[in-house]
């Protein structure tokens, strides 16, 4: 009997779990559908810097097949064609092979961009032919592709550095940042910065918040941003809590900031309506926040991973914001669906260029 009642409970648990999963995936799918439909309305050329990676080839196939993007696989042509054939894909991918063809103009451009940063002509030549992250970055910078994805086979900082050096930030921006969209049963949350700025000052936090709010609107979400800390509106005062507080002041004084933002506040204040309305009813946020800006990279990276793994959120990202052209740096080990999702986000970014 004990075993029977145990298994009945398990069945019920499983059913409840599956219902929760379905509800959550439903929200996630809904969010991605917004972006996928926008992408399909005007697909753009997306350079996949790690073209010889099997997952990239599969992702390229899906993006092309579903009309999300026009993928360009960067890498050794023979290997890419062989991978596509081995996978049995009915797919004749567009391949750009840095070792084959005349890419002197890319080497010249890289040299022109970086010669006053210590790069020699020989190094520029070497990097263009042997480092597909530099090749794809120049390709996008030159307008031969509209967007770039990389990162699957590299450590995040080394995949990020070439686009930062070659493409750089948008004219009105100084900082790039990595944003994760987390979808829960009844809500979505954008977390920033989860991947780039180690110890941001108030100006950086304010800029990252504005980029993230813009991104939220691209997903049809009206942003309400909370600057997170371990302090609530001045309850603890030191250098750490002052940065998010100063960032709020900068944004409240900025006439271009047209979304709700407040803080500094603790994470539960940001997401629990009763705390926000009961104790901090003076806050600018009239509903719980959906943009969470963390005070530093440790908090941001740890925070989103805990939410994803323990809170059971579905994650889309990391989406790089603040760049001059759309670039997204995947995490090592990301799945094909993650690549396709970020490809769609990149296409939508490119449509806004
Ligand atoms: N935003 C925009 N551009 C930047 C930024 C930034 N936050 N930081 C540096 N840059 C630019 C610089 O201006 C410089 O350009 P320049 O050469 O034209 O002047 C170029 O990038 C290189 O910058 P450096 O100062 O030499 O910095 P470095 O290369 O050492 O590091 C990096 C930059 C890679 C972003 C570094 O800050 C870093 O490692 N950040 C953390 C990345 C990380 O480990 N993330 C967590 C794990 S990832 C994950 O979980 C998915």
């Amino acid at each position: 009997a004990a075993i029977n009642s145990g298994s009945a409970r398990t069945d019920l648990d499983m059913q409840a779990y599956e219902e929760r999963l379905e509800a959550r995936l439903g929200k996630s799918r809904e969010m991605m559908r917004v972006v996928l439909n926008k992408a399909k309305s005007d697909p753009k050329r997306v350079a996949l810097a790690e073209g010889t990676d099997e997952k990239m080839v599969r992702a390229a196939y899906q993006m092309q097949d579903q009309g999300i993007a026009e993928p360009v696989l960067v890498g050794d042509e023979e290997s890419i064609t062989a991978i596509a054939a081995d996978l049995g894909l009915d797919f004749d991918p567009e391949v750009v092979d840095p070792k084959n063809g005349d890419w002197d103009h890319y080497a010249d451009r890289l040299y022109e961009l970086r010669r006053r940063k210590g790069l020699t002509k020989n190094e520029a030549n070497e990097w263009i032919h042997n480092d597909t992250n530099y090749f794809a970055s120049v390709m996008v910078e030159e307008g031969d592709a509209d967007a770039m994805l990389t990162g699957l086979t590299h450590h995040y900082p080394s995949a990020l550095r070439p686009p930062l050096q070659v493409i750089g930030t948008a004219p009105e921006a100084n900082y790039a940042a990595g944003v994760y969209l987390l979808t829960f049963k009844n809500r979505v949350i954008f977390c920033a910065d989860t991947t780039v700025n180690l110890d941001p000052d108030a100006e950086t936090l304010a800029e990252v918040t504005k980029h993230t709010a813009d991104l939220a609107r691209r997903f049809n979400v009206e942003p309400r941003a909370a600057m997170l800390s371990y302090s609530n509106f001045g309850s603890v005062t030191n250098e750490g809590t002052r940065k998010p507080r100063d960032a709020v002041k900068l944004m409240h004084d900025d006439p271009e900031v047209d979304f709700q933002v407040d803080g500094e506040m603790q994470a539960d204040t940001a997401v629990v309506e009763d705390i926000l309305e009961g104790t901090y009813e003076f806050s600018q946020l009239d509903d719980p926040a959906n943009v969470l800006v963390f005070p530093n990279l440790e908090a941001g990276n740890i925070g989103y991973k805990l939410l994803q793994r323990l809170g059971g959120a579905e994650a889309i990202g990391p989406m790089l914001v603040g760049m001059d052209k759309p670039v997204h740096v995947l995490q090592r080990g990301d799945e094909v669906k993650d690549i396709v999702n970020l490809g769609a986000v990149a296409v939508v970014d490119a449509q806004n260029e």
Side-chain angles (χ1 to χ4, degrees), residues 30 71-72 92 146 157-158 208 230 306:
E30 185 188 312
V72 183
D92 182 18
D146 302 304
S158 53
V208 167
Y230 51 86
L306 286 176

Side-chain angles (χ1 to χ4, degrees), residues 114 117 156-157 160-161 164-165 169 174-176 195-198 297 301 305 331:
R114 301 299 302 173
K117 300 272 181 181
Y156 192 86
L160 178 59
R161 211 167 275 118
L164 284 182
Q165 290 176 343
T169 51
N174 292 304
Y175 302 99
T195 62
V196 182
N197 298 282
L198 300 170
L297 192 57
N301 193 273
K305 284 185 193 243
Q331 289 209 56

Side-chain angles (χ1 to χ4, degrees), residues 67-266:
I68 296 166
E70 294 167 9
V72 183
L73 290 157
V74 180
D76 179 63
E77 184 156 19
E78 234 172 80
S79 313
I80 294 171
T81 314
I83 292 168
D86 283 352
L87 291 171
L89 299 176
D90 179 18
F91 178 40
D92 182 18
E94 179 176 348
V95 176
V96 172
D97 186 343
K99 287 192 196 285
N100 224 333
D102 179 5
W103 302 113
D104 286 354
H105 57 303
Y106 279 9
D108 290 347
R109 181 63 182 148
L110 181 59
Y111 177 58
E112 193 183 340
L113 288 167
R114 301 299 302 173
R115 63 191 170 194
R116 287 179 186 273
K117 300 272 181 181
L119 189 74
T120 66
K121 203 162 189 157
N122 281 345
E123 282 168 335
N125 208 34
E126 166 81 15
W127 290 7
I128 283 298
H129 290 99
N130 294 306
D131 187 328
T132 56
N133 280 325
Y134 278 102
F135 186 96
S137 298
V138 175
M139 200 175 165
V140 171
E141 198 272 338
E142 284 287 83
D144 294 335
D146 302 304
M148 164 180 173
L149 296 187
T150 184
L152 211 54
T153 59
H154 294 81
H155 286 296
Y156 192 86
S158 53
L160 178 59
R161 211 167 275 118
L164 284 182
Q165 290 176 343
V166 172
I167 296 169
T169 51
E172 72 287 357
N174 292 304
Y175 302 99
V179 182
Y180 266 93
L181 164 59
L182 300 178
T183 57
F184 298 87
K185 189 176 173 197
N186 295 320
R187 62 167 76 176
V188 297
I189 287 191
F190 293 81
C191 292
D193 168 14
T194 60
T195 62
V196 182
N197 298 282
L198 300 170
D199 187 16
D201 58 16
E203 285 75 18
T204 313
L205 287 173
E207 191 184 313
V208 167
T209 309
K210 290 190 267 180
H211 293 323
T212 310
D214 286 345
L215 180 72
R217 284 189 171 140
R218 261 177 269 153
F219 281 84
N220 292 352
V221 171
E222 188 49 32
R224 294 183 301 277
M227 312 303 292
L228 299 186
S229 179
Y230 51 86
S231 161
N232 274 318
F233 300 97
S235 65
V236 180
T237 298
N238 60 39
E239 200 199 331
T241 59
R242 214 172 285 125
K243 284 190 225 175
R245 194 177 319 151
D246 290 350
V248 169
K249 174 144 183 30
L250 287 172
M251 286 184 280
H252 283 179
D253 290 346
D254 180 348
E256 287 186 0
V257 171
D258 59 353
F259 55 90
Q260 293 177 18
V261 53
D262 220 331
E264 85 288 356
M265 67 178 83
Q266 295 178 358

Side-chain angles (χ1 to χ4, degrees), residues 317-336:
M319 295 174 270
L320 201 57
V321 291
M323 295 293 287
D324 197 25
K325 301 274 176 77
V327 178
H328 297 294
V329 179
L330 296 144
Q331 289 209 56
R332 274 151 83 100
D334 269 352
E335 297 304 324
V336 173

